[in-house]
C-alpha cells in the first residue's frame, strides 16, 4: 500500500497540495506557540541594581506567613512593615547603616515615575555625579537623567526644590535624591537599610535580637516561645537570604527580617518581581494563544483532510469496480495521509523555527513582553507539533476512508456528483454529544458557581466546545440555511441566484468545508471580544451604581494623596469628602487556603454618604474599627459572625462581619476602617454635595469642583465627575489581555483565511466540468464568474450566521451568570470586529473562487467538458 500511496502522491500531487499547505501551516503555528510558551516559563537571572555594591541589605519582610496543618502559606503583603528600631540600633554597633526610603515625587513637566531616595543610598547603585554637586540643604536635589539641568527650579508635590546636580541614568528608575534628613521627613517609615559590615556578623546580630525580643515577649505574657534560626549561607559576593523572626510592632505575633547578600540583594530593588510577573503574564498569554491556535489548526486540518478524501469518491468508485477491496482502499488513503503528513509536519516545524523569532520581536516591540524575551532552544515544541499534526492528519483521513471503503461502486459514482448523505451516524452522534455537554456544563455552572463563567479560562475555552458541536452538526442546518439565504436572490432577474443556491446544496460537503473556518473565526471573534466587552460593561455598570458621589478625585500617578492635600479637600465648602485607602485583607479558609481580597478603607459616615454598596445584608453604618464588610464569596459571610483575618501589613485580627455585599463581577472586595489599613495610601476621594453647597445644583457643583481643583493643584490630582471617572477607569480590558486576544484572533483569522482560500482552490479543479457545461448551455464567461462569486458569498454567509449563533449562545450564558450575580447589564456584540472578519473571509473566498474559475475558463468549453480524471 505504501508504494501505491507514493505513486499516487507523486503523480497527483496537485490533489494533495491543499492538504499539505493546511497541515504545514497548522504544524508551524503549533511549533511557534509551543516555542513561545516554553520560552516564557523562566525569566533570566537579574543582578542587584540599587544595592549592587552594598555588602548587606537588611529589610523587613514583605511576606505574610500563616501556619496551617498542610504547611506554612506565604502571601505578599500589601504594606510591608517598618524595620524595628531595635534591629537598626543593633546593626549600628556593627558598622555604617544607611537607611533607605522610597517615595513618589510628582513634577508637572518631568517623568511620571519619579521616585525619591536619600542621597546616601546613591553610592550603592552606584550613581556617579555627571554635573553639579551633592545636595546639602532641604530644598536641594540631584536627579537622574537629563530632564532637568543643575540650577533649575522645579515645583513638586513635595515643595519647590532646586536641582544642584545630575547623575547617570541607570535605566531601572528615574530617581530624585534628597538629603538624608529631608528624605526622612518626607518618608518617615524605613523598611530596609544597607549595612557596611561583615554578613556573618549581621546574621548573628539579627538572631540575637530576635531571640532577645522573643524572650522579652515570653516574660511579659508568660506564654509561648519564639526562636530565631538562620537559613541562609550567603556572603558578600555570593547568593544568600536569611529570615529571622522579630516581634511585630502592633501585635504579639512575629514578623520576619530578611538579611540579603549577593544576588539576593535584588529583592531590595524597586519592583523585584517584575520579571516573574512578566513571565506569568507571558505564560498566560501564550498559553491562551496556544490553546486557541491548537484548536483552530486541528479543526481546520481535520476538516481539510476529510474534504480532500471525500472529493475523491469517483476515484474510489472506479477502484472498487476494478476489484479493490474496502480494506485496500482504507489502507491506501491512510498511507497517503501518512506520506503527506510526514512531509507537511516536517515542513511546518522548519517554518515554525523561522517564524518564532519574528513573533518574539513582535511581542517585544508591542510592549507585551520585556526586552529580554527571546525564543530559546527547546526541542519538545517541535516534537509536540510534529506528532500532533501527523495524528490529526491520520484521524482526519480515517473517518472519510472508512466511509469510502463501505460505499459501493455505483453509490460512490452517484455521490461524486451530488452529496446525498454527508451527515453520518457517527458525526451526528458526536455533534449531539458535544452539544449536550456544552448545555449541561453551562447549566451546572449557572446553578453552582456563576462567577466561574466570568473567568478568562472559561470564556476562552467554552466557545471551542460549542464551535466543534455546531461544525459537526452543520450538514443538518446548512441545507435549509442555504435555501433561506438564496430565497430572495433566486427571485431576482437572471438565474445566478437560483443556480448558486442549488450548487451550494448539491455540493454540501464543499459548502460545509468552506463554511467551517468562517464559523470558527466569526465565533471566536464574537465570543472572545464580546465576552470582554460584556464584562467591561457590567463592571462599569457596577461602578456607576456603587457611587452616589458627584465628583471623584484621584492622584495623577496613582501613588496617593499627602495629608496636606486631604486636609485641603476636606476644607472645601459644600463638600462631603470620603477618603478611601487601597489595602488588602487575607483570610484562612478550610484551614489550609489563604485567600487575599482587595480592601478599601473608609470612615463609615462619609462612605455611606458617597457610596451605594450592593448589600445583601447588614448596614454600612455598622462598620467600625472592630468590624468588616465582606462579600458573598467569603466562606463565612453571615452578619454578626467573627472572622480571623490578616491586614495589609500582616497584623492578625478578629473582626465582626458588619455587612455582606453581593458577589457581582468579582470586583466587590471588602471594606474596613482606616485603622485596619496601616500603611495604606489614600488613592481615591469621593465627594458628595451637601446642603450648604447651595440650592442650585449646577452652581453648587461648579463651585465645589473649582474648590477641589484648587485643593489638588499642588499635588497634581485629577477631579472628575462620577460619570467621567467610571468611563476613564473601569470599562477597559487589561492591555496585555486585549493585545493577547488580538494576537490570537489575528492568527486565527490568517490561518482560517488561508484555509478558505485553500479549500476553494482545491474544489476548483472538481468544478471545471460544471463550468464547461454552463458555458455550453449558453452562459457567458462573465455570468459564470458571477455565479462562482455569488456561491462563495453564499457559503461565507452560512459560516458567518453559524458563527453568530455560537457567539449569541456563549454570550447568553455569560449574561445569565451576571444576572444571577445581581449585575444588570446588556450583551455587547463587537459588530465592528465581526464585520471586519466577515469582510476578510468574503474577500478571500470570492477571490479564491473566481481566480481559479477564470483561469479554467480560458480553455475551450468543449475541452473542459471532455476532461477525464
Amino acid at each position: 500500500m505504501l508504494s501505491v500511496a507514493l505513486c499516487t502522491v507523486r503523480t497527483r500531487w496537485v490533489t494533495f497540495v491543499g492538504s499539505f499547505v493546511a497541515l504545514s501551516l497548522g504544524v508551524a503555528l503549533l511549533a511557534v506557540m509551543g516555542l513561545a510558551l516554553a520560552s516564557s516559563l523562566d525569566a533570566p537571572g537579574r543582578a542587584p541594581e540599587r544595592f549592587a555594591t552594598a555588602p548587606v541589605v537588611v529589610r523587613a519582610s514583605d511576606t505574610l506567613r500563616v501556619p496551617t496543618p498542610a504547611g506554612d502559606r506565604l502571601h505578599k503583603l500589601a504594606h510591608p512593615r517598618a524595620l524595628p528600631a531595635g534591629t537598626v540600633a543593633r546593626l549600628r554597633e556593627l558598622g555604617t547603616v544607611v537607611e533607605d526610603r522610597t517615595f513618589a515625587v510628582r513634577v508637572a513637566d518631568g517623568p511620571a515615575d519619579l521616585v525619591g531616595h536619600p542621597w546616601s543610598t546613591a553610592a550603592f547603585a552606584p550613581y556617579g555625579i555627571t554635573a553639579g554637586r551633592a545636595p546639602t540643604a532641604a530644598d536641594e536635589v540631584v536627579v537622574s537623567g537629563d530632564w532637568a539641568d543643575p540650577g533649575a527650579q522645579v515645583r513638586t508635590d513635595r515643595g519647590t526644590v532646586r536641582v544642584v546636580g545630575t547623575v547617570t541614568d541607570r535605566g531601572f528608575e528615574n530617581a530624585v535624591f534628597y538629603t538624608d534628613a529631608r528624605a526622612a521627613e518626607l518618608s518617615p517609615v524605613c523598611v530596609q537599610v544597607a549595612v557596611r559590615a561583615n554578613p556573618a556578623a549581621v546574621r548573628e546580630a539579627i538572631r540575637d535580637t530576635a531571640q532577645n525580643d522573643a524572650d522579652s515577649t515570653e516574660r511579659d505574657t508568660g506564654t509561648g516561645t519564639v526562636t530565631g534560626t538562620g537559613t541562609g549561607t550567603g556572603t558578600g559576593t555570593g547568593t544568600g537570604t536569611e529570615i529571622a523572626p522579630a516581634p511585630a510592632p502592633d501585635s504579639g505575633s512575629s514578623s520576619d527580617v530578611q538579611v540579603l547578600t549577593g544576588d539576593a540583594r535584588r529583592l531590595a530593588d524597586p519592583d523585584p518581581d517584575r520579571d516573574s510577573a512578566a513571565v506569568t503574564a507571558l505564560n498566560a498569554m501564550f498559553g491562551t494563544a496556544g490553546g486557541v491556535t491548537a484548536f483552530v489548526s486541528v479543526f481546520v486540518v481535520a476538516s481539510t483532510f476529510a474534504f480532500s478524501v471525500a472529493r475523491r469518491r469517483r476515484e474510489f468508485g472506479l477502484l472498487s469496480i476494478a476489484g479493490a477491496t474496502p480494506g485496500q482502499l482504507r489502507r491506501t488513503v491512510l498511507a497517503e495521509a501518512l506520506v503527506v503528513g510526514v512531509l507537511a509536519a516536517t515542513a511546518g516545524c522548519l517554518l515554525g523555527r523561522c517564524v518564532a523569532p519574528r513573533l518574539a520581536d513582535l511581542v517585544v516591540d508591542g510592549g507585551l513582553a520585556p526586552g529580554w524575551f527571546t525564543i530559546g532552544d527547546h526541542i519538545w515544541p517541535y516534537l509536540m507539533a510534529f506528532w500532533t499534526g501527523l495524528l490529526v492528519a491520520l484521524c482526519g483521513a480515517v473517518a472519510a476512508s472508512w466511509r469510502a471503503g463501505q460505499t459501493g461502486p455505483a453509490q460512490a459514482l452517484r455521490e461524486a456528483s451530488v452529496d446525498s448523505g454527508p451527515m453520518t451516524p457517527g458525526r451526528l452522534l458526536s455533534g449531539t454529544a458535544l452539544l449536550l455537554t456544552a448545555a449541561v456544563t453551562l447549566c451546572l455552572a449557572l446553578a453552582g458557581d456563576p462567577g466561574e463563567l466570568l473567568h478568562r479560562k472559561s470564556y476562552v475555552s467554552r466557545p471551542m466546545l460549542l464551535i466543534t458541536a455546531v461544525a459537526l452538526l452543520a450538514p443538518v442546518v446548512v441545507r435549509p440555511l442555504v435555501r433561506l439565504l438564496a430565497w430572495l436572490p433566486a427571485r431576482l432577474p437572471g438565474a445566478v441566484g437560483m443556480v448558486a443556491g442549488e450548487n451550494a446544496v448539491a455540493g454540501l460537503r464543499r459548502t460545509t468545508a468552506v463554511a467551517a473556518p468562517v464559523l470558527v473565526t466569526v465565533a471566536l471573534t464574537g465570543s472572545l471580544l464580546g465576552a470582554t466587552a460584556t464584562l467591561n460593561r457590567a463592571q462599569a455598570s457596577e461602578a456607576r451604581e456603587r457611587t452616589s458621589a458627584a465628583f471623584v478625585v484621584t492622584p495623577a500617578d496613582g501613588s496617593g494623596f499627602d495629608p496636606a492635600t486631604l486636609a485641603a479637600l476636606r476644607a472645601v465648602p459644600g463638600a462631603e469628602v470620603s477618603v478611601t485607602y487601597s489595602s488588602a485583607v487575607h483570610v484562612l479558609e478550610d484551614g489550609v487556603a489563604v485567600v487575599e481580597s482587595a480592601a478599601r478603607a473608609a470612615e463609615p459616615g462619609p462612605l455611606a454618604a458617597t457610596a451605594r454598596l450592593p448589600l445583601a445584608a447588614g448596614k454600612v453604618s455598622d462598620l467600625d474599627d472592630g468590624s468588616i464588610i465582606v462579600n458573598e464569596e467569603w466562606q463565612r459571610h453571615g452578619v454578626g459572625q467573627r472572622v480571623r483575618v490578616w491586614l495589609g501589613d500582616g497584623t492578625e485580627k478578629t473582626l465582626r462581619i458588619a455587612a455582606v455585599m453581593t458577589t457581582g463581577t468579582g470586583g466587590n472586595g471588602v471594606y474596613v476602617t482606616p485603622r485596619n489599613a496601616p500603611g495604606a495610601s489614600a488613592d481615591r476621594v469621593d465627594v458628595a454635595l451637601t446642603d450648604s453647597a447651595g440650592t442650585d445644583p449646577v452652581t453648587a457643583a461648579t463651585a465645589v469642583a473649582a474648590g477641589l481643583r484648587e485643593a489638588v493643584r499642588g499635588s497634581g490630582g485629577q477631579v472628575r465627575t462620577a460619570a467621567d471617572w467610571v468611563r476613564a477607569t473601569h470599562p477597559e480590558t487589561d492591555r496585555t489581555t486585549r493585545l493577547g486576544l488580538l494576537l490570537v484572533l489575528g492568527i486565527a483569522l490568517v490561518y482560517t483565511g488561508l484555509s478558505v482560500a485553500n479549500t476553494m482552490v482545491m474544489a476548483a479543479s472538481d468544478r471545471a466540468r460544471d463550468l464547461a457545461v454552463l458555458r455550453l448551455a449558453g452562459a457567458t464567461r462573465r455570468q459564470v464568474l458571477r455565479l462562482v462569486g455569488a456561491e462563495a458569498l453564499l457559503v461565507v454567509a452560512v459560516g458567518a450566521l453559524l458563527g453568530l449563533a455560537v457567539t449569541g449562545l456563549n454570550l447568553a450564558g455569560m449574561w445569565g451568570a451576571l444576572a444571577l450575580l445581581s449585575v444588570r447589564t446588556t450583551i455587547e456584540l463587537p459588530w465592528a470586529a465581526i464585520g471586519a472578519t466577515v469582510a476578510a473571509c468574503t474577500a478571500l473566498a470570492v477571490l479564491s473562487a473566481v481566480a481559479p474559475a477564470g483561469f479554467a475558463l480560458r480553455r475551450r468549453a468543449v475541452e473542459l467538458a471532455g476532461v477525464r480524471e
Side-chain angles (χ1 to χ4, degrees):
M1 290 297 104
L2 184 60
S3 60
V4 175
L6 289 173
C7 292
T8 304
V9 172
R10 184 177 64 253
T11 57
R12 299 198 51 189
W13 61 270
V14 176
T15 304
F16 297 97
V17 166
S19 300
F20 179 90
V21 171
L23 181 56
S24 60
L25 290 176
V27 170
L29 287 177
L30 291 175
V32 168
M33 288 299 129
L35 287 169
L37 185 61
S39 301
S40 67
L41 294 177
D42 297 303
R46 185 182 291 274
E49 295 172 330
R50 281 198 62 217
F51 295 94
T53 64
V56 186
V57 176
V58 178
R59 71 191 309 261
S61 176
D62 59 356
T63 302
L64 171 67
R65 188 189 303 271
V66 180
T68 71
D72 289 355
R73 294 291 183 259
L74 304 180
H75 269 261
K76 190 175 181 65
L77 292 172
H79 314 296
R81 307 178 183 95
L83 198 62
T87 300
V88 177
R90 179 69 179 88
L91 293 174
R92 292 189 189 279
E93 299 175 4
L94 304 178
T96 303
V97 174
V98 178
E99 296 186 0
D100 179 47
R101 305 170 195 276
T102 299
F103 48 91
V105 178
R106 290 187 286 269
V107 176
D109 298 325
D113 55 350
L114 287 174
V115 291
H117 298 302
W119 171 247
S120 296
T121 62
F124 296 117
Y127 281 102
I129 290 184
T130 57
R133 58 175 176 84
T136 57
D139 62 345
E140 295 179 347
V141 296
V142 170
V143 301
S144 65
D146 56 0
W147 63 273
D149 297 323
Q153 295 285 333
V154 178
R155 182 178 180 182
T156 75
D157 62 322
R158 311 282 182 168
T160 301
V161 296
R162 183 165 59 93
V163 178
V164 297
T166 59
V167 294
T168 308
D169 185 1
R170 304 291 294 177
F172 56 85
E173 66 176 354
N174 289 310
V176 179
F177 293 99
Y178 291 80
T179 62
D180 291 7
R182 180 56 177 163
E185 293 176 2
L186 297 176
S187 181
V189 177
C190 174
V191 299
Q192 62 188 18
V193 297
V195 185
R196 297 186 185 274
N198 183 276
V202 172
R203 292 191 191 92
E204 187 64 29
I206 294 297
R207 290 194 192 97
D208 293 343
T209 303
Q211 184 63 54
N212 293 336
D213 290 338
D215 293 341
S216 176
T217 300
E218 182 179 358
R219 288 192 300 269
D220 293 341
T221 62
T223 60
T225 299
V226 181
T227 60
T229 59
T231 59
T233 59
T235 65
T237 58
T239 301
T241 304
E242 180 173 354
I243 302 178
D250 297 325
S251 71
S253 62
S254 65
S255 64
D256 294 332
V257 175
Q258 295 177 318
V259 179
L260 309 177
T261 59
D263 289 342
R265 291 169 298 178
R266 66 179 179 80
L267 298 177
D269 289 335
D271 195 13
D273 298 326
R274 62 185 182 276
D275 286 345
S276 59
V279 163
T280 302
L282 280 177
N283 191 258
M285 183 183 73
F286 286 128
T288 301
V292 175
T293 299
F295 168 75
V296 173
S297 57
V298 168
F299 185 94
V300 171
V301 168
S303 177
T304 303
F305 263 80
F307 176 66
S308 66
V309 174
R311 63 190 287 267
R312 298 171 59 196
R313 292 186 305 277
R314 184 187 299 275
E315 177 184 331
F316 296 147
L318 295 175
L319 289 175
S320 298
I321 292 174
T325 65
Q328 288 175 324
L329 289 177
R330 286 192 291 269
R331 289 194 295 273
T332 299
V333 171
L334 290 177
E336 293 170 356
L338 179 63
V339 172
V340 175
V342 169
L343 295 176
T346 303
C349 289
L350 295 176
L351 180 60
R353 182 179 181 181
C354 298
V355 173
R358 308 294 185 274
L359 175 64
D361 295 339
L362 180 64
V363 295
V364 170
D365 294 341
L368 293 176
W372 49 258
F373 178 71
T374 57
I375 299 297
D377 296 327
H378 304 279
I379 301 300
W380 68 262
Y382 296 110
L383 298 177
M384 178 271 300
F386 180 90
W387 290 110
T388 299
L390 184 58
L391 181 63
V392 171
L394 294 176
C395 292
V398 69
S401 66
W402 181 267
R403 188 168 186 269
Q406 294 295 106
T407 304
Q411 183 182 0
L413 293 176
R414 182 176 68 253
E415 289 187 0
S417 299
V418 178
D419 294 328
S420 59
M423 176 57 74
T424 62
R427 183 169 184 167
L428 180 61
L429 180 62
S430 300
T432 303
L434 288 177
L435 189 61
L436 290 176
T437 301
V440 170
T441 54
L442 176 62
C443 293
L444 290 177
L446 290 174
D449 185 10
E452 181 66 23
L453 296 176
L454 307 183
H455 297 163
R456 183 172 62 178
K457 64 180 181 180
S458 295
Y459 66 70
V460 168
S461 60
R462 291 191 64 83
M464 301 180 190
L465 184 64
L466 197 54
I467 288 170
T468 306
V470 172
L472 288 173
L473 297 175
V476 176
V477 297
V478 164
R479 192 187 301 273
L481 194 57
V482 167
R483 294 197 183 280
L484 177 63
L485 292 173
W487 179 81
L488 180 60
R491 279 152 181 77
L492 297 176
V496 171
M498 179 190 68
V499 177
E502 294 301 324
N503 279 347
V505 171
L508 205 55
R509 284 190 176 87
R510 181 180 68 248
T511 301
T512 304
V514 175
V518 179
L519 157 67
V520 172
T521 310
V522 172
L524 285 177
T525 301
S527 297
L528 297 186
L529 297 183
T532 55
T534 300
L535 197 55
N536 288 339
R537 172 61 69 90
Q539 291 171 344
S541 176
E542 274 189 314
R544 192 177 300 108
E545 293 177 357
R546 280 202 303 257
T547 181
S548 57
F551 301 97
V552 177
V553 186
T554 55
D557 59 358
S559 60
F561 288 116
D562 57 85
T565 302
L566 295 179
L569 288 170
R570 291 189 176 99
V572 174
E576 174 72 31
V577 173
S578 174
V579 180
T580 58
Y581 304 77
S582 177
S583 187
V585 169
H586 299 82
V587 64
L588 184 65
E589 295 188 351
D590 297 322
V592 294
V594 177
V595 180
E596 179 180 355
S597 296
R600 304 293 303 177
E603 295 293 346
L607 178 64
T610 58
R612 291 189 295 263
L613 300 186
L615 296 182
K619 297 183 296 182
V620 174
S621 58
D622 290 342
L623 179 66
D624 55 30
D625 292 339
S627 62
I628 185 174
I629 297 176
V630 302
N631 59 67
E632 292 177 328
E633 283 187 313
W634 278 44
Q635 189 176 52
R636 295 171 64 89
H637 56 267
V639 173
Q641 290 182 320
R642 304 190 72 82
V643 290
R644 176 192 179 202
V645 300
W646 286 264
L647 304 179
D649 69 340
T651 301
E652 181 182 346
K653 296 193 73 171
T654 299
L655 300 176
R656 174 182 53 83
I657 297 178
V660 181
M661 296 182 291
T662 59
T663 302
T665 60
N668 296 336
V670 303
Y671 281 84
V672 294
T673 60
R675 188 178 181 83
N676 288 327
S681 59
D683 57 359
R684 175 177 155 190
V685 178
D686 290 15
V687 181
L689 302 180
T690 64
D691 294 338
S692 61
T695 57
D696 183 9
V698 177
T699 303
T702 302
V704 170
L708 295 175
R709 293 189 179 94
E710 181 62 29
V712 299
R713 184 181 303 277
S715 61
Q718 294 179 298
V719 179
R720 301 188 185 97
T721 64
D724 289 341
W725 173 76
V726 170
R727 284 192 294 268
T729 59
H730 282 78
E732 60 181 28
T733 304
D734 175 74
R735 181 175 181 272
T736 300
T737 301
R738 183 175 63 255
L739 294 180
L741 290 178
L742 293 178
L743 173 64
V744 170
L745 296 176
I747 292 173
L749 178 59
V750 171
Y751 187 47
T752 53
L754 291 175
S755 174
V756 168
N758 186 32
T759 305
M760 297 297 286
V761 172
M762 288 172 60
S765 60
D766 292 340
R767 307 194 61 191
R769 192 193 308 275
D770 298 337
L771 301 181
V773 171
L774 289 173
R775 290 295 309 277
L776 293 175
T780 64
R781 186 172 182 272
R782 178 173 296 180
Q783 287 176 323
V784 173
L785 294 180
R786 284 168 51 195
L787 171 64
V788 173
E791 187 177 342
L793 285 173
L794 187 61
V795 174
V796 171
V798 170
L801 287 178
L802 291 177
L804 283 174
V806 171
T807 298
L809 291 174
N810 280 309
L811 296 184
M814 176 174 280
W815 179 82
L818 289 169
L820 291 174
L821 294 172
S822 304
V823 181
R824 294 175 293 178
T825 188
T826 58
I827 293 177
E828 293 293 311
L829 281 172
W831 289 113
I834 292 175
T837 300
V838 174
C841 291
T842 300
L844 284 171
V846 172
L847 181 62
S848 302
V850 172
F855 181 79
L857 291 175
R858 294 174 61 184
R859 299 173 59 188
R860 295 177 57 196
V862 175
E863 295 177 1
L864 290 175
V867 170
R868 293 291 184 269
E869 295 187 4

